[in-house]
């Protein structure tokens, strides 16, 4: 197969004029048919010559050896142009031309032909020339091999053919150049190995292999499709073999296929080379990045953590340390992101890597993971320590404020107005103390947690745990000293709370005693008021009066107990004031009030008791006088005298020690009590009159009784005698019955 010496792109405007073309048709000798359609316009011989040179460069030597049949269509041209074209064929393709068919117009060139007979010039021209009309051209060429211009059935599209030639030549040129470049790249890599320092551009060919392959496949598909369609279009005349209008000699399907095969082979080798280089480059990049991450984490990253060992001495400094640690974590997070990306890349390579690469990748992955996890564990440990330190300092500050508040409350003077306020202050004091105790417990817990966080090594470590340095020991001592100081402050406050609690309890007791003493005065006043206002009645008889007297004594006992209770409370108040050194407080007017009320009650109670005793004596004597059958006049006079004395007593007021007077009850109550005494006096007077009448009547009855007694005694004697006789008769009857019973038993025995 000959190489293409001329490209269509160089004479593309000439080729577009269709000065000559190869339709794909063949003569009976299987030679190609070259058609030269002459037009009425002047044809440029140079352009026609260039067109013929290009067309004759397409077929193979084997195809050229069969010879060409040239059809010169002179129906629209002049004879001299036709003759010039035929003669030009002698110079252009004399050896390849087998037959020249000049298609003439009907009856147009007959006279001129006689002047120039091409058949006589056959030896000089080197090929046979015949003049033939279009309808007789089928004598030399089968109709199926002729285009429709000559009455044939062969389809030919010059624009389509030209486009495919352009594509074919472009593909041939690019693929040939690409094959050379790929071959050089592959052979260079095979002979010298992959040069790691070679730039990536040295492996990049001038054309994109994928694009060239796609163009070739599309071209081959077009060629094969046309050949298939052409095979169906018709067969050789008279039972001859099937004709293929786009045979490989014309459009070089084998050449395209060979180029595609070679290109695929070289491109596959090139892809493998690129894959190996990319893999090696990727491994080198991963190794470099891994070492970069490891170097930073083991170097600057570790140094940053080593310089951050303090825990601060307050919540503010702890927050500043946390912010600094967040900045360090931010720096580490960038490298951790690179680690995650590298880990993903390594995992992807491990799934498709070779044995040596897998071992190298696993080693890199293990080294990277160990360093990153160790550094992350140290960061987390430091973060936990700072969080625990912040919580510890926060609790310390809160506990210190609580102790300050408790101390301020203890140092303040206690001057409450009443016991309720003292109780409230005492409750508040206890609550503050409990809060302090809870805060100290929380501080101990958080301090222990902080010490544990500081002294325990990270959970992920590949190195031996180092002994605590000087900074660590200082931190431990600082935490312990803070907890000891808070414990000491809390103990001092507890001691002060105990003293304050005792003082406040004594003050509560003092206020309680004062309140109870006042209550005792109130109770005693109420008893006095009840005694004077409601204790007026004296009873209607001795039994009722005696009951009232007993109740009065109990009433007085209650008042006595109330008075004694008040005295004891006031004495306790004096003792508590001395204990509290409260010179400004005293019992005030409570004691004089208590004594004054008690004296008034005592006088009133004595008067009440004296009246009840008089009433009891009066009612007792009156009842005795009223109940006795015989009463002496002196007894009646005594009852009458005691009643009048009692009435006089009811009208008298009670005179208190301060000279004031107070009556028992209201005048109506006194009148009611006096009315009962007067009624009893009336009964006694009636009894006096009854006794006088009874005495007279009794004397008469005594005489009658004496007579009656004499008669009764006589009757009794008679009755006694009768009874004696009856008893004797009954005894005799009993003896007779016993005798009869004995006789009856003897009979039965016999």
């Amino acid at each position: 197969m000959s190489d293409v010496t001329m490209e269509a792109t160089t004479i593309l405007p000439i080729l577009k004029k269709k000065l000559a073309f190869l339709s794909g048709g063949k003569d009976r000798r299987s030679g190609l048919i070259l058609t030269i359609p002459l037009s009425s316009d002047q044809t440029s011989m140079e352009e026609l010559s260039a067109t013929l040179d290009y067309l004759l460069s397409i077929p193979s030597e084997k195809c050229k050896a069969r010879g060409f049949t040239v059809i010169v269509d002179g129906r629209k041209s002049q004879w001299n142009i036709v003759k010039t074209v035929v003669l030009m064929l002698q110079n252009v393709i004399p050896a390849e031309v087998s037959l020249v068919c000049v298609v003439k117009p009907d009856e147009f060139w007959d006279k001129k032909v006689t002047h120039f007979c091409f058949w006589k010039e056959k030896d000089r021209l080197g090929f046979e020339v015949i003049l033939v009309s279009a309808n007789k051209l089928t004598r030399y060429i089968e109709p199926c091999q002729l285009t429709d211009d000559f009455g044939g059935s062969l389809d030919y599209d010059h624009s389509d053919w030209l486009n495919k030639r352009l594509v074919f030549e472009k593909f041939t040129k690019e693929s040939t150049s690409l094959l050379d470049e790929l071959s050089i790249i592959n052979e260079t890599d095979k002979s010298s190995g992959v040069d790691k320092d070679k730039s990536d551009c040295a492996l990049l060919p001038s054309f994109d292999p994928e694009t060239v392959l796609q163009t070739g496949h599309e071209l081959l598909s077009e060629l094969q499709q046309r050949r298939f369609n052409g095979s169906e279009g018709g067969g050789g005349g008279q039972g001859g073999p099937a004709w293929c209008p786009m045979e490989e000699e014309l459009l070089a399907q084998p050449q395209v296929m060979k180029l595609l095969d070679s290109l695929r082979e070289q491109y596959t080798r090139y892809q493998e080379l690129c894959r190996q280089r990319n893999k090696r480059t990727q491994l080198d990049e991963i190794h470099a990045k891994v070492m970069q991450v490891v170097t930073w984490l083991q170097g600057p990253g570790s140094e940053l953590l080593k310089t951050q060992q303090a825990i601060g001495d307050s919540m503010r400094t702890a927050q500043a340390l946390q912010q600094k640690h967040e900045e360090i974590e931010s720096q580490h997070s960038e490298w951790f992101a690179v680690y995650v990306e590298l880990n993903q890349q390594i995992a992807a390579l491990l799934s498709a890597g070779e044995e040596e690469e897998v071992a190298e990748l696993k080693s890199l992955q293990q080294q990277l993971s160990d360093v990153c996890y160790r550094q992350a564990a140290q960061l987390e440990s430091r973060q936990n320590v700072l969080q625990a330190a912040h919580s510890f300092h926060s609790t310390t500050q809160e506990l210190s404020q609580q102790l300050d508040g408790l101390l301020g409350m203890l140092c303040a003077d206690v001057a409450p107005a009443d016991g309720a306020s003292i109780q409230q202050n005492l409750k508040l004091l206890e609550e503050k103390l409990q809060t302090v105790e809870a805060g100290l417990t929380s501080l101990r817990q958080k301090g222990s947690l902080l010490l544990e966080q500081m002294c325990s090594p990270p959970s992920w470590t590949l190195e031996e745990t180092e002994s605590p340095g000087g900074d660590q020991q200082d931190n431990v001592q600082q935490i312990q000293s803070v907890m000891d100081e808070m414990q000491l402050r809390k103990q001092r406050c507890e001691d002060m709370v105990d003293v304050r609690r005792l003082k406040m309890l004594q003050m509560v007791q003092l206020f309680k005693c004062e309140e109870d003493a006042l209550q005792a005065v109130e109770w005693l006043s109420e008893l006095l008021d009840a005694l004077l206002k409601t204790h007026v009645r004296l009873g209607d008889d001795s039994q009722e009066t005696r009951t009232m007297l007993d109740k009065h004594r109990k009433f007085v006992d209650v008042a006595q107990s109330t008075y004694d209770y008040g005295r004891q409370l006031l004495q306790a108040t004096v003792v508590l004031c001395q204990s509290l050194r409260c010179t400004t407080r005293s019992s005030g007017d409570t004691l004089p009030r208590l004594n004054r009320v008690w004296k008034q009650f005592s006088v009133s109670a004595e008067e009440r008791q004296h009246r009840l005793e008089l009433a009891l004596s009066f009612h007792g004597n009156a009842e005795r006088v009223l109940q006795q059958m015989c009463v002496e006049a002196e007894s009646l006079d005594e009852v009458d005298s005691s009643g009048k004395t009692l009435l006089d007593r009811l009208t008298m007021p009670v005179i208190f020690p301060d000279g004031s007077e107070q009556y028992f009850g209201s005048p109506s109550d006194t009148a009611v009590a006096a009315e009962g005494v007067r009624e009893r006096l009336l009964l006694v007077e009636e009894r006096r009159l009854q006794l006088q009448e009874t005495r007279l009547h009794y004397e008469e009855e005594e005489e009658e009784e004496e007579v009656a007694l004499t008669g009764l005694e006589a009757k009794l004697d008679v009755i006694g005698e009768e009874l004696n006789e009856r008893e004797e008769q009954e005894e005799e009857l009993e003896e007779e019955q016993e005798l009869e019973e004995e006789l009856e038993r003897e009979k039965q025995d016999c």
Side-chain angles (χ1 to χ4, degrees), residues 14 52 99 109 118 196 216 230 253 264 273 310 328 374 388 395 400 479 535 604 669 688 702 712 716 724 728:
I14 298 175
L52 292 175
L99 177 65
W109 290 336
F118 286 105
K196 296 182 180 180
Q253 291 184 32
R264 278 194 293 266
L273 172 64
I328 296 176
R374 182 170 63 252
T395 305
S400 179
I479 295 169
H535 292 207
S604 301
D669 295 335
R688 184 192 298 274
E702 284 183 350
L712 288 172
L716 289 172
N724 290 331
E728 290 176 355

CSV table of all heavy atoms in Angstrom, one decimal, residues 14 52 99 109 118 196 216 230 253 264 273 310 328 374 388 395 400 479 535 604 669 688 702 712 716 724 728:
chain,number,residue,atom,x,y,z
A,14,ILE,N,-9.9,23.0,-4.9
A,14,ILE,CA,-9.9,22.4,-6.3
A,14,ILE,C,-10.7,21.1,-6.2
A,14,ILE,O,-11.5,20.9,-7.1
A,14,ILE,CB,-8.4,22.1,-6.7
A,14,ILE,CG1,-7.6,23.4,-6.8
A,14,ILE,CG2,-8.4,21.3,-8.0
A,14,ILE,CD1,-6.2,23.2,-7.1
A,52,LEU,N,-6.1,14.9,-10.6
A,52,LEU,CA,-5.7,13.6,-11.0
A,52,LEU,C,-4.6,13.0,-10.2
A,52,LEU,O,-4.6,11.8,-9.8
A,52,LEU,CB,-5.4,13.6,-12.5
A,52,LEU,CG,-6.6,13.9,-13.4
A,52,LEU,CD1,-6.1,14.0,-14.9
A,52,LEU,CD2,-7.7,12.8,-13.3
A,99,LEU,N,-8.2,2.3,-20.9
A,99,LEU,CA,-9.2,2.7,-21.8
A,99,LEU,C,-9.7,4.0,-21.5
A,99,LEU,O,-10.0,4.3,-20.3
A,99,LEU,CB,-10.4,1.7,-21.9
A,99,LEU,CG,-11.6,2.0,-22.8
A,99,LEU,CD1,-11.1,2.0,-24.3
A,99,LEU,CD2,-12.7,1.0,-22.6
A,109,TRP,N,-19.4,15.8,-33.2
A,109,TRP,CA,-18.0,15.9,-33.5
A,109,TRP,C,-17.6,15.0,-34.7
A,109,TRP,O,-16.5,14.7,-35.0
A,109,TRP,CB,-17.2,15.3,-32.3
A,109,TRP,CG,-17.2,16.3,-31.2
A,109,TRP,CD1,-17.4,17.6,-31.2
A,109,TRP,CD2,-16.9,15.9,-29.9
A,109,TRP,NE1,-17.3,18.1,-30.0
A,109,TRP,CE2,-17.0,17.1,-29.1
A,109,TRP,CE3,-16.7,14.7,-29.2
A,109,TRP,CZ2,-16.8,17.1,-27.7
A,109,TRP,CZ3,-16.5,14.7,-27.8
A,109,TRP,CH2,-16.6,15.9,-27.1
A,118,PHE,N,-8.2,8.9,-32.6
A,118,PHE,CA,-7.4,8.5,-31.4
A,118,PHE,C,-6.9,7.1,-31.5
A,118,PHE,O,-5.9,6.7,-30.9
A,118,PHE,CB,-8.3,8.6,-30.1
A,118,PHE,CG,-8.5,10.1,-29.7
A,118,PHE,CD1,-9.7,10.7,-29.9
A,118,PHE,CD2,-7.4,10.8,-29.1
A,118,PHE,CE1,-9.8,12.1,-29.6
A,118,PHE,CE2,-7.6,12.1,-28.8
A,118,PHE,CZ,-8.8,12.7,-29.0
A,196,LYS,N,11.8,9.3,37.7
A,196,LYS,CA,10.9,10.0,38.7
A,196,LYS,C,11.0,11.5,38.6
A,196,LYS,O,10.1,12.3,39.0
A,196,LYS,CB,11.3,9.6,40.1
A,196,LYS,CG,11.1,8.2,40.4
A,196,LYS,CD,11.5,7.8,41.9
A,196,LYS,CE,11.2,6.4,42.2
A,196,LYS,NZ,11.6,6.0,43.6
A,216,GLY,N,-11.4,7.4,14.7
A,216,GLY,CA,-11.1,6.2,13.9
A,216,GLY,C,-12.3,5.2,13.9
A,216,GLY,O,-12.7,4.7,12.9
A,230,GLY,N,-23.8,-0.9,0.0
A,230,GLY,CA,-23.4,-1.1,-1.4
A,230,GLY,C,-23.6,-2.6,-1.8
A,230,GLY,O,-23.9,-2.9,-2.9
A,253,GLN,N,-10.0,0.5,4.2
A,253,GLN,CA,-10.5,0.0,5.5
A,253,GLN,C,-9.5,-0.7,6.3
A,253,GLN,O,-9.3,-0.6,7.5
A,253,GLN,CB,-11.8,-0.8,5.3
A,253,GLN,CG,-13.0,-0.1,4.8
A,253,GLN,CD,-14.2,-1.0,4.7
A,253,GLN,OE1,-14.4,-1.9,5.5
A,253,GLN,NE2,-15.1,-0.7,3.8
A,264,ARG,N,-4.5,1.2,19.6
A,264,ARG,CA,-5.1,0.6,20.8
A,264,ARG,C,-4.0,-0.1,21.6
A,264,ARG,O,-3.9,0.0,22.8
A,264,ARG,CB,-6.2,-0.4,20.5
A,264,ARG,CG,-7.5,0.3,20.3
A,264,ARG,CD,-8.7,-0.7,20.3
A,264,ARG,NE,-8.6,-1.7,19.2
A,264,ARG,CZ,-9.2,-1.5,18.0
A,264,ARG,NH1,-10.0,-0.4,17.9
A,264,ARG,NH2,-9.1,-2.4,17.0
A,273,LEU,N,1.6,2.5,31.5
A,273,LEU,CA,2.7,3.3,31.9
A,273,LEU,C,2.3,4.5,32.8
A,273,LEU,O,2.8,4.8,33.8
A,273,LEU,CB,3.5,3.8,30.7
A,273,LEU,CG,4.6,4.8,30.9
A,273,LEU,CD1,5.7,4.2,31.8
A,273,LEU,CD2,5.2,5.3,29.6
A,310,ALA,N,0.3,24.4,82.5
A,310,ALA,CA,-0.3,25.1,83.6
A,310,ALA,C,-1.8,24.9,83.6
A,310,ALA,O,-2.5,24.5,82.6
A,310,ALA,CB,0.0,26.6,83.5
A,328,ILE,N,-4.5,25.8,69.6
A,328,ILE,CA,-3.7,24.6,69.3
A,328,ILE,C,-4.5,23.5,68.7
A,328,ILE,O,-4.0,22.9,67.7
A,328,ILE,CB,-3.0,24.1,70.6
A,328,ILE,CG1,-2.1,25.2,71.2
A,328,ILE,CG2,-2.2,22.8,70.4
A,328,ILE,CD1,-1.5,24.8,72.5
A,374,ARG,N,-2.0,9.2,68.9
A,374,ARG,CA,-1.3,9.6,70.1
A,374,ARG,C,-1.4,11.1,70.4
A,374,ARG,O,-1.7,11.5,71.5
A,374,ARG,CB,0.2,9.2,70.0
A,374,ARG,CG,1.0,9.5,71.3
A,374,ARG,CD,2.4,8.9,71.2
A,374,ARG,NE,3.2,9.5,70.1
A,374,ARG,CZ,3.5,8.8,69.0
A,374,ARG,NH1,3.1,7.5,68.9
A,374,ARG,NH2,4.2,9.3,68.1
A,388,ALA,N,-11.6,20.2,83.7
A,388,ALA,CA,-11.6,20.0,85.1
A,388,ALA,C,-11.0,21.1,85.9
A,388,ALA,O,-11.6,21.5,87.0
A,388,ALA,CB,-10.8,18.7,85.4
A,395,THR,N,-15.7,26.3,91.0
A,395,THR,CA,-16.3,25.9,92.3
A,395,THR,C,-15.5,26.6,93.4
A,395,THR,O,-16.1,27.0,94.4
A,395,THR,CB,-16.1,24.4,92.4
A,395,THR,OG1,-16.8,23.7,91.3
A,395,THR,CG2,-16.8,23.9,93.7
A,400,SER,N,-15.7,30.4,97.7
A,400,SER,CA,-15.1,31.5,98.4
A,400,SER,C,-16.1,32.6,98.6
A,400,SER,O,-16.2,33.3,99.7
A,400,SER,CB,-13.9,32.1,97.6
A,400,SER,OG,-13.3,33.2,98.2
A,479,ILE,N,-3.4,22.7,93.8
A,479,ILE,CA,-4.7,22.2,94.0
A,479,ILE,C,-4.9,21.8,95.5
A,479,ILE,O,-5.9,22.1,96.1
A,479,ILE,CB,-5.0,21.0,93.1
A,479,ILE,CG1,-5.0,21.4,91.6
A,479,ILE,CG2,-6.3,20.3,93.4
A,479,ILE,CD1,-4.9,20.3,90.6
A,535,HIS,N,-67.9,35.0,138.7
A,535,HIS,CA,-68.0,34.2,139.9
A,535,HIS,C,-68.8,35.0,141.0
A,535,HIS,O,-68.2,35.6,141.9
A,535,HIS,CB,-66.6,33.9,140.4
A,535,HIS,CG,-65.8,33.0,139.5
A,535,HIS,ND1,-64.8,32.2,140.0
A,535,HIS,CD2,-65.9,32.7,138.2
A,535,HIS,CE1,-64.4,31.4,139.0
A,535,HIS,NE2,-65.0,31.8,137.9
A,604,SER,N,-59.2,39.3,145.6
A,604,SER,CA,-60.6,39.0,145.1
A,604,SER,C,-60.9,37.5,145.4
A,604,SER,O,-62.0,37.1,145.7
A,604,SER,CB,-60.6,39.2,143.6
A,604,SER,OG,-60.3,40.6,143.3
A,669,ASP,N,-76.6,40.6,138.9
A,669,ASP,CA,-76.0,39.4,139.4
A,669,ASP,C,-76.0,39.3,140.9
A,669,ASP,O,-76.3,38.3,141.5
A,669,ASP,CB,-74.6,39.2,138.8
A,669,ASP,CG,-74.6,39.0,137.3
A,669,ASP,OD1,-75.6,38.6,136.7
A,669,ASP,OD2,-73.5,39.3,136.7
A,688,ARG,N,-89.8,28.3,161.4
A,688,ARG,CA,-89.9,28.7,162.8
A,688,ARG,C,-91.4,28.7,163.2
A,688,ARG,O,-91.8,28.2,164.3
A,688,ARG,CB,-89.4,30.1,163.0
A,688,ARG,CG,-89.4,30.7,164.4
A,688,ARG,CD,-89.2,32.2,164.4
A,688,ARG,NE,-87.9,32.5,163.9
A,688,ARG,CZ,-86.7,32.4,164.6
A,688,ARG,NH1,-86.8,32.2,165.9
A,688,ARG,NH2,-85.6,32.7,164.1
A,702,GLU,N,-99.7,13.2,171.7
A,702,GLU,CA,-99.0,12.3,172.7
A,702,GLU,C,-100.1,11.7,173.7
A,702,GLU,O,-100.0,10.5,174.0
A,702,GLU,CB,-98.0,13.1,173.5
A,702,GLU,CG,-96.7,13.3,172.7
A,702,GLU,CD,-95.7,14.0,173.6
A,702,GLU,OE1,-96.0,14.5,174.7
A,702,GLU,OE2,-94.5,14.1,173.2
A,712,LEU,N,-103.7,-1.3,172.5
A,712,LEU,CA,-102.9,-2.2,171.6
A,712,LEU,C,-102.2,-3.3,172.4
A,712,LEU,O,-102.0,-4.4,171.9
A,712,LEU,CB,-101.9,-1.3,170.8
A,712,LEU,CG,-102.4,-0.5,169.7
A,712,LEU,CD1,-101.4,0.4,169.2
A,712,LEU,CD2,-103.0,-1.3,168.6
A,716,LEU,N,-102.5,-7.3,171.8
A,716,LEU,CA,-101.3,-8.0,171.5
A,716,LEU,C,-101.2,-9.2,172.5
A,716,LEU,O,-100.8,-10.3,172.1
A,716,LEU,CB,-100.1,-7.2,171.7
A,716,LEU,CG,-99.9,-6.1,170.6
A,716,LEU,CD1,-98.7,-5.2,171.0
A,716,LEU,CD2,-99.6,-6.7,169.3
A,724,ASN,N,-99.7,-19.1,170.4
A,724,ASN,CA,-99.1,-20.3,171.2
A,724,ASN,C,-99.9,-21.5,171.0
A,724,ASN,O,-99.4,-22.6,170.8
A,724,ASN,CB,-99.0,-19.9,172.6
A,724,ASN,CG,-98.0,-18.8,172.9
A,724,ASN,OD1,-97.0,-18.7,172.1
A,724,ASN,ND2,-98.1,-18.0,173.9
A,728,GLU,N,-98.8,-25.3,169.3
A,728,GLU,CA,-98.9,-26.6,170.0
A,728,GLU,C,-99.7,-27.6,169.1
A,728,GLU,O,-99.3,-28.8,169.0
A,728,GLU,CB,-99.6,-26.4,171.4
A,728,GLU,CG,-98.8,-25.7,172.4
A,728,GLU,CD,-99.5,-25.4,173.7
A,728,GLU,OE1,-100.7,-25.7,173.7
A,728,GLU,OE2,-98.9,-24.9,174.6
